[in-house]
Amino acid sequence: MPTIIEKNIVVIGAGLTGLTTSFYLKKNNADFIVIEQNSKVGGVIQTEKHNGYLIETGPNTGIVGHPEVTELFEELGNNCEIDLPGKEVNKRFILKNSKWEPLPSGLWQGITTPLFTFGDKLRILGEPFRKRGTNPNETLAQLVLRRMGKSFLDYAIDPFIMGVYSGDPARLVTRHALPKLYSLEQTYGSFIGGAIKKGFKKKTPREMKATRKVFSVKGGLSELINALYTMAGKENFILSANNLSVQYVNGKYVSTFLNSDGTDIIVKSNKLITTTGAFALKNILSFIDKEKLSPITNLPYANVVEVVLGFDNYDGFKPEGFGGLIPFVENRDVLGVLFMSTLFQKRTPDNCTLFTMFIGGVRKSNLFERTEAELKNIVEAEFMQLMKPSVFNPNLFKLFWHKNAIPQYGIESEERFKTIEMLKKEYSGLIIGGNLKDGIGMADRIKQGKNLAINCY
Ligand SMILES: Cc1cc2nc3c(=O)[nH]c(=O)nc-3n(C[C@H](O)[C@H](O)[C@H](O)COP(=O)(O)OP(=O)(O)OC[C@H]3O[C@@H](n4cnc5c(N)ncnc54)[C@H](O)[C@@H]3O)c2cc1C
């Protein structure tokens, strides 16, 4: 006989989104349960310890981009301590002709940098006077070419997009992928003028909680996950839930799955909040016709391999900064390198150096299919050429495969959002969240997770 549970709200998925939702549901004394297929919570966020190194196997850092991030850390109190990097964080490098060039951070550097052509540097002076775009589906590449020029696309926006989306600026639609940039142009008519005007605009105390600061958590991002899990009440989670499938019967959601011991569990609820990736919904929302659901489930994702390298004796390019980003036109296999031991203290044994690199992404997806041995050879060759140490002798060398890692908000996004709204009207209490909308970064996930909990009544 299956075990039958009745709850007001079912949350599917215990990654950062589902955990944040659960944290706020618990604060509101909601009657809820979380169903997670993995044997541990956190989704792609996992911190591990190896050979005295503290490493992230998923995201490494976030940006405090929304007030909800600051508020969450305030509410977590002593249960989780934010880790802010030193001032080196503002120094970033871009690879040009196989050499790391600092990304300009001031006017003089902007004038003298070899990253951009002389013509585009002159062209940028005219940026505030260029007309606003009128195509709401303009891609990032089109937008940057129109306002700034090809060298800015190749050596500023493209590597940034490789670092954040592992994506292609020619496929990402600005309005969906970088909504803040889109609204800067639409509201103020210019990036430069808009940034200056915004800088002078008086902010409310809540707006001031949203900053561009980079964050992690003392002890690694899993500490954030553990704090949320504990404070949301571990008893409210069912882990290792296999073959989850939901039906909609007489206005109720009936979630059926196999428990870790092989027994059937049925959870009946009034509301259903999904926080999984779009690809998982095909099986979960089995009461919705697959064709009807396809504008959501067709969302493309980038596959990424994350590489963690630790050295006790590193003598290559000095990792003084956040890291280095690699434009696609440089034709390398690596998307970027993070200088983790420079950014955060106490993550390595004494005098050791820790790097995180990413391989694959939308434009080099074939690399994701390579074997571990092949990838290790690629990493060694790339690392020697990019960082130029005298020898390649890591005492930590780990690879982590992330299938369906980062959603790509392209031209089809509008249709996806319409479908989500349509289903919400058709099925009372169905709330589709997760990284298929509202942004891909950790800050976006925290903001959405909180809103899912607050707005589900
Ligand atoms: C390699 C990588 C690097 C990243 N780097 C950064 C970064 O540097 N900075 C940044 O801000 N963001 C980064 N991100 C993005 C950020 O990590 C994610 O946006 C965020 O962690 C996603 O959280 P989530 O809860 O929405 O999704 P997930 O973490 O994917 O969680 C979804 C959960 O749903 C569960 N689930 C799926 N299917 C089912 C099912 N059928 N039944 C039950 N449960 C199910 C999954 O097991 C999982 O636990 C990175 C992401 C990846 C993959």
Side-chain angles (χ1 to χ4, degrees):
M1 279 287 283
T3 306
I4 299 178
I5 300 168
E6 301 229 9
K7 289 279 166 187
N8 186 26
I9 305 167
V10 160
V11 178
I12 301 177
L16 182 57
T17 311
L19 283 164
T20 308
T21 304
S22 319
F23 173 78
Y24 286 105
L25 286 174
K26 171 82 179 175
K27 277 196 93 154
N28 288 345
N29 293 320
D31 176 39
F32 72 99
I33 200 149
V34 186
I35 302 173
E36 165 58 53
Q37 69 181 5
N38 283 342
S39 57
K40 51 185 176 179
V41 297
V44 299
I45 301 179
Q46 303 293 334
T47 309
E48 293 184 1
K49 286 182 184 158
H50 298 277
N51 306 0
Y53 290 90
L54 186 80
I55 65 166
E56 301 291 356
T57 73
N60 284 254
T61 61
I63 305 276
V64 188
H66 303 300
E68 286 82 357
V69 178
T70 308
E71 288 163 357
L72 180 65
F73 279 105
E74 285 168 0
E75 284 166 291
L76 289 173
N78 294 335
N79 295 289
C80 171
E81 201 181 337
I82 198 164
D83 200 0
L84 298 173
K87 59 182 183 315
E88 304 89 1
V89 69
N90 294 324
K91 207 167 162 190
R92 286 151 200 247
F93 297 90
I94 305 280
L95 195 77
K96 184 161 190 184
N97 301 328
S98 303
K99 191 170 163 248
W100 293 114
E101 302 287 354
L103 184 69
S105 57
L107 183 63
W108 180 245
Q109 277 187 6
I111 293 168
T112 56
T113 178
L115 287 173
F116 314 123
T117 62
F118 180 67
D120 281 349
K121 284 180 196 168
L122 282 182
R123 207 177 124 79
I124 198 85
L125 296 174
E127 193 275 337
F129 308 104
R130 247 158 240 137
K131 276 200 218 135
R132 256 185 202 91
T134 52
N135 172 11
N137 287 326
E138 189 172 48
T139 65
L140 256 168
Q142 288 167 330
L143 172 78
V144 176
L145 280 177
R146 179 168 58 73
R147 295 205 73 84
M148 303 174 88
K150 176 130 174 47
S151 63
F152 278 96
L153 172 62
D154 287 345
Y155 285 96
I157 297 298
D158 183 285
F160 168 73
I161 287 301
M162 298 262 270
V164 175
Y165 271 90
S166 306
D168 180 355
R171 278 169 60 181
L172 295 169
V173 170
T174 316
R175 185 162 57 111
H176 306 304
L178 292 183
K180 285 184 182 168
L181 189 75
Y182 179 75
S183 89
L184 209 56
E185 193 201 23
Q186 292 302 310
T187 313
Y188 299 99
S190 149
F191 300 154
I192 297 175
I196 294 170
K197 280 185 198 149
K198 266 188 98 173
F200 282 110
K201 212 173 142 200
K202 201 163 173 344
K203 287 185 178 161
T204 64
R206 184 158 197 259
E207 281 169 343
M208 281 165 69
K209 290 182 173 179
T211 68
R212 296 299 304 155
K213 278 188 188 154
V214 170
F215 77 89
S216 176
V217 171
K218 296 246 162 80
L221 288 166
S222 277
E223 291 299 316
L224 169 62
I225 295 305
N226 294 338
L228 288 168
Y229 183 35
T230 306
M231 291 182 78
K234 290 183 181 178
E235 66 284 2
N236 294 318
F237 289 73
I238 299 179
L239 305 182
S240 304
N242 290 309
N243 302 336
L244 171 65
S245 162
V246 184
Q247 295 297 329
Y248 188 61
V249 185
N250 301 330
K252 287 223 173 212
Y253 296 93
V254 181
S255 305
T256 308
F257 55 92
L258 277 178
N259 208 358
S260 54
D261 61 12
T263 53
D264 281 321
I265 309 245
I266 294 174
V267 186
K268 294 183 180 170
S269 65
N270 300 314
K271 295 174 201 292
L272 183 79
I273 304 178
T274 70
T275 70
T276 68
F279 47 88
L281 294 178
K282 222 179 277 177
N283 293 331
I284 296 173
L285 301 179
S286 53
F287 58 96
I288 302 174
D289 179 63
K290 291 209 172 9
E291 192 63 30
K292 200 166 169 186
L293 206 55
S294 64
I296 302 175
T297 51
N298 286 348
L299 169 62
Y301 279 72
N303 298 331
V304 173
V305 182
E306 184 158 354
V307 182
V308 179
L309 284 170
F311 296 85
D312 58 1
N313 208 350
Y314 169 80
D315 62 358
F317 178 80
K318 279 210 167 53
E320 289 169 347
F322 184 88
L325 289 170
I326 304 180
F328 185 71
V329 288
E330 289 290 306
N331 196 22
R332 314 258 12 156
D333 286 335
V334 172
L335 299 167
V337 188
L338 289 173
F339 305 158
M340 286 306 285
S341 47
T342 308
L343 284 179
F344 300 109
Q345 308 296 310
K346 298 188 186 153
R347 299 211 174 191
T348 68
D350 286 348
N351 302 319
C352 290
T353 315
L354 180 64
F355 298 97
T356 302
M357 294 163 73
F358 293 94
I359 290 192
V362 167
R363 287 179 286 182
K364 294 246 170 165
S365 56
N366 59 319
L367 290 172
F368 192 78
E369 311 302 331
R370 300 286 181 89
T371 64
E372 179 163 357
E374 284 171 335
L375 280 172
K376 283 193 161 175
N377 284 336
I378 291 172
V379 170
E380 176 170 353
E382 288 282 88
F383 194 85
M384 289 304 286
Q385 290 173 36
L386 292 170
M387 305 305 289
K388 302 184 171 57
S390 50
V391 284
F392 185 78
N393 57 354
N395 59 349
L396 181 77
F397 194 171
K398 295 255 170 217
L399 267 57
F400 303 95
W401 280 259
H402 292 278
K403 191 165 172 57
N404 294 323
I406 316 275
Q408 307 291 310
Y409 294 172
I411 186 94
E412 63 294 316
S413 296
E414 188 74 47
E415 204 49 37
R416 184 169 69 256
F417 302 147
K418 275 189 198 154
T419 308
I420 292 169
E421 284 311 306
M422 181 194 74
L423 292 173
K424 192 175 166 186
K425 285 192 191 124
E426 193 171 339
Y427 298 100
S428 166
L430 173 65
I431 302 165
I432 299 178
N435 65 12
L436 47 89
K437 67 195 249 285
D438 301 332
I440 63 160
M442 286 191 284
D444 302 316
R445 302 292 83 236
I446 289 170
K447 179 178 176 181
Q448 189 199 56
K450 183 174 184 175
N451 287 333
L452 289 175
I454 292 170
N455 299 329
C456 76
Y457 292 101

